[in-house]
């Protein structure tokens, strides 16, 4: 086994007016290293100017997503060993503006997330009730969607988001579903407006790459399809029974 | 397309996908393989004509034809303006796609009605 491997890392430093480029780093190959370990090695021993995001190193914080050999992955969960003999190409997440090196600008995602009100909305609050119990079945309805760690890999994988940046996108719709399907929530119609406009769920053409790359098996593509069925039902109901209350 | 009609087209698209997945493979095998290769006897003109005599059968046929067409129109619309990057012609593409589906459906309804 070779004891070294080459990483080709995307570099972009707007402060010294340099053009984006790739820089090669030769690093020792350790079987138990993930890509993030390799980047940390570079930062600590070879080149301290390299910028990237990470925090938990255990697939929880969702901040270490990058393109590795053109696929969006969590770099703390992708083993170097699987990419032998290299070289391994590391780039910032696709479809996002780059701030510096491997750091992307996630404001667009956060803006969109806010628009779907990702919290439990209650029509009325009864202060006398201290807790709202849920059965395991009620929890199972939305649990999968609550596993999202906002890593945005699905946005990088989504060709529609790449072509139409205004598209609300996979994770945000899945997160809206997480609250819509929670039996404590009454915000369905409040979210529907944001999700059924021109940039909402109808943009999705069910390519399904978001679900393939999701490290948490959230299945955003499935969430969007379920939401489309719900949106279409609501539309027909409003047409045929306009007097019925929107639920 | 305006947001408020999108669910309508999508419903037709979804229904068309389901119905064509159900019926078109059977029809293609019968018409495209079984009959030409002689796996089954060639049915007579009168026989086929007779099958579509009842109005209910013609309505089913119309449903298969029209929903499949709307499925195509919706897919093709997205293929054109995303696949070929024709965003500027978004509305024209939508009108052409759904318009041709509607035209063919109108023609099919007319023919089936005057059967
Ligand atoms: S849905 Fe999956 S891929 Fe998308 S942000 Fe959430 S965890 Fe990441
Ligand atoms: S460092 Fe937290 S998910 Fe990778």
């Amino acid at each position: 086994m070779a004891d070294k491997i080459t990483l080709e890392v995307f570099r972009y430093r707007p402060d010294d007016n340099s053009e984006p480029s790739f820089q090669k780093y030769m690093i020792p190959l350790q079987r138990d290293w993930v890509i993030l370990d390799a980047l940390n090695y570079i930062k600590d021993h070879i080149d301290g100017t390299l910028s990237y995001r990470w925090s938990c190193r255990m697939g929880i914080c969702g901040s270490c997503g990058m393109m590795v050999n053109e696929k969006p992955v969590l770099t703390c969960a992708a083993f170097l060993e699987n990419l032998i003999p290299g070289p391994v190409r590391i780039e910032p997440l696709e479809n996002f503006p780059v701030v510096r090196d491997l750091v992307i600008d996630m404001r667009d995602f956060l803006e969109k997330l806010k628009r779907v009100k990702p919290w439990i909305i209650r029509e009325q609050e009864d202060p006398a009730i201290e807790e709202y119990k849920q059965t395991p079945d009620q929890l199972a309805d939305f649990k999968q969607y609550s596993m999202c760690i906002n890593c945005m890999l699905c946005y990088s994988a989504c060709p529609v988001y790449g072509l139409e940046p205004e598209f609300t996108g996979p994770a945000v719709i899945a997160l809206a579903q997480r609250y819509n399907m929670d039996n404590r929530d009454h915000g369905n119609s409040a979210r529907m407006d944001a999700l059924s406009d021109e940039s909402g769920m109808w943009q999705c053409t069910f390519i399904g790459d978001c679900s393939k790359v999701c490290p948490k098996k959230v299945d955003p593509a499935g969430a969007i399809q379920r939401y489309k069925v719900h949106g279409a039902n609501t539309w027909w109901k409003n047409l045929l029974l306009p007097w019925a209350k929107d639920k | 397309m305006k947001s408020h009609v999108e669910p309508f087209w999508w419903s037709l698209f979804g229904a068309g996908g389901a119905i064509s997945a159900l019926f078109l493979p059977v029809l293609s095998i019968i018409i495209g393989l079984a009959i030409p290769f002689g796996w089954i006897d060639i049915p007579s003109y009168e026989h086929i004509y007779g099958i579509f005599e009842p109005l209910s059968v013609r309505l089913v046929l119309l449903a298969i034809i029209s929903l499949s067409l709307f499925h195509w129109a919706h897919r093709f619309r997205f293929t054109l303006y995303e696949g070929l990057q024709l965003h500027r012609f978004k509305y024209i593409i939508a009108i052409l796609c759904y318009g041709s589906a509607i035209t063919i459906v109108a023609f099919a309804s007319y023919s089936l009605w005057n059967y």
Side-chain angles (χ1 to χ4, degrees):
Chain A
M1 173 191 144
D3 55 354
K4 289 199 180 296
I5 190 164
T6 303
L7 261 50
E8 294 174 359
V9 183
F10 180 90
R11 301 298 313 265
Y12 172 57
R13 281 145 297 168
D15 34 340
D16 52 74
N17 289 325
S18 58
E19 289 293 306
S21 60
F22 282 91
Q23 192 162 348
K24 286 192 179 152
Y25 299 100
M26 178 95 92
I27 55 151
L29 175 57
Q30 302 238 15
R31 289 257 138 160
D32 54 352
W33 270 8
V34 290
I35 304 284
L36 183 61
D37 293 320
L39 291 174
N40 284 341
Y41 179 88
I42 295 173
K43 178 118 182 149
D44 291 345
H45 298 100
I46 308 177
D47 184 349
T49 65
L50 183 65
S51 303
Y52 51 98
R53 284 199 187 99
W54 64 285
S55 174
C56 70
R57 292 178 61 196
M58 51 197 292
I60 299 294
C61 71
S63 59
C64 68
M66 293 168 211
M67 306 300 289
V68 173
N69 288 348
E70 300 184 347
K71 287 203 191 70
V73 294
L74 291 181
T75 48
C76 70
F79 281 91
L80 209 49
E81 185 181 35
N82 299 331
L83 303 165
I84 294 173
V88 181
R89 201 159 247 247
I90 303 177
E91 292 161 273
L93 278 183
E94 206 157 299
N95 298 339
F96 291 96
V98 178
V99 177
R100 181 187 172 87
D101 293 343
L102 301 165
V103 178
I104 52 123
D105 182 346
M106 57 170 89
R107 273 177 300 181
D108 181 53
F109 173 76
L110 296 175
E111 248 339 286
K112 285 172 177 160
L113 188 55
K114 224 170 15 184
R115 243 188 279 155
V116 301
K117 308 188 189 344
W119 54 82
I120 287 182
I121 298 172
R122 304 278 303 173
E123 266 159 17
Q124 263 166 354
E125 211 49 85
D126 181 355
I129 302 175
E130 279 174 4
E131 56 182 344
Y132 293 93
K133 291 186 177 151
Q134 275 181 320
T135 66
D137 280 347
Q138 287 167 335
L139 175 66
D141 274 346
F142 66 85
K143 180 148 187 229
Q144 179 190 13
Y145 306 136
S146 73
M147 305 309 276
C148 175
I149 55 172
N150 300 357
C151 66
M152 297 170 284
L153 299 192
C154 51
Y155 282 75
S156 276
C158 176
V160 176
Y161 182 62
L163 293 169
E164 314 216 13
E166 77 277 14
F167 174 42
T168 312
V172 168
I173 302 181
L175 281 162
Q177 279 293 62
R178 179 255 170 269
Y179 292 95
N180 283 335
M181 309 202 66
D182 188 322
N183 65 315
R184 298 166 296 183
D185 178 82
H186 302 142
N188 214 317
S189 44
R191 285 183 204 103
M192 188 55 111
D193 289 343
L195 286 168
S196 60
D197 69 1
E198 289 232 28
S199 51
M201 58 182 159
W202 305 110
Q203 290 288 328
C204 165
T205 51
F206 202 19
I207 294 162
D209 285 352
C210 51
S211 293
K212 276 186 221 140
V213 301
C214 175
K216 294 288 158 184
K217 309 246 176 330
V218 170
D219 189 14
I224 300 175
Q225 295 314 298
R226 278 174 88 176
Y227 207 51
K228 281 183 189 169
V229 173
H230 173 75
N233 283 342
T234 314
W235 188 89
W236 284 102
K237 216 176 100 193
N238 288 344
L239 182 80
L240 302 171
L241 311 166
W243 53 89
K245 199 172 166 284
D246 211 13
K247 251 281 151 230
Chain B
M1 273 283 103
K2 280 280 176 312
S3 58
H4 60 266
V5 291
E6 209 59 73
F8 171 74
W9 297 121
W10 188 81
S11 310
L12 293 183
F13 164 78
I19 210 162
S20 49
L22 212 59
F23 287 99
L24 292 192
V26 181
L27 285 177
S28 333
I29 287 175
I30 296 177
I31 301 169
L33 294 173
I35 295 179
F37 285 117
W39 301 340
I40 55 171
D41 289 338
I42 300 178
S44 69
Y45 177 76
E46 286 72 25
H47 180 74
I48 295 189
Y49 195 90
I51 295 179
F52 293 104
E53 200 79 88
L55 184 64
S56 53
V57 180
R58 276 179 279 151
L59 283 177
V60 172
L61 187 63
L62 181 64
I64 299 177
I65 294 174
S66 48
L67 291 174
S68 307
L69 277 167
F70 284 117
H71 182 82
W72 162 80
H74 192 76
R75 240 311 157 249
F76 201 59
R77 171 188 150 209
F78 278 98
T79 307
L80 283 183
Y81 85 69
E82 262 162 21
L84 300 182
Q85 291 289 290
L86 298 171
H87 287 252
R88 275 171 300 149
F89 305 114
K90 210 166 162 170
Y91 293 98
I92 300 174
I93 288 174
I95 291 166
L96 282 180
C97 288
Y98 297 127
S100 30
I102 292 169
T103 314
I104 306 176
V105 169
F107 181 69
S109 320
Y110 176 80
S111 324
L112 287 168
W113 182 252
N114 294 311
Y115 196 68

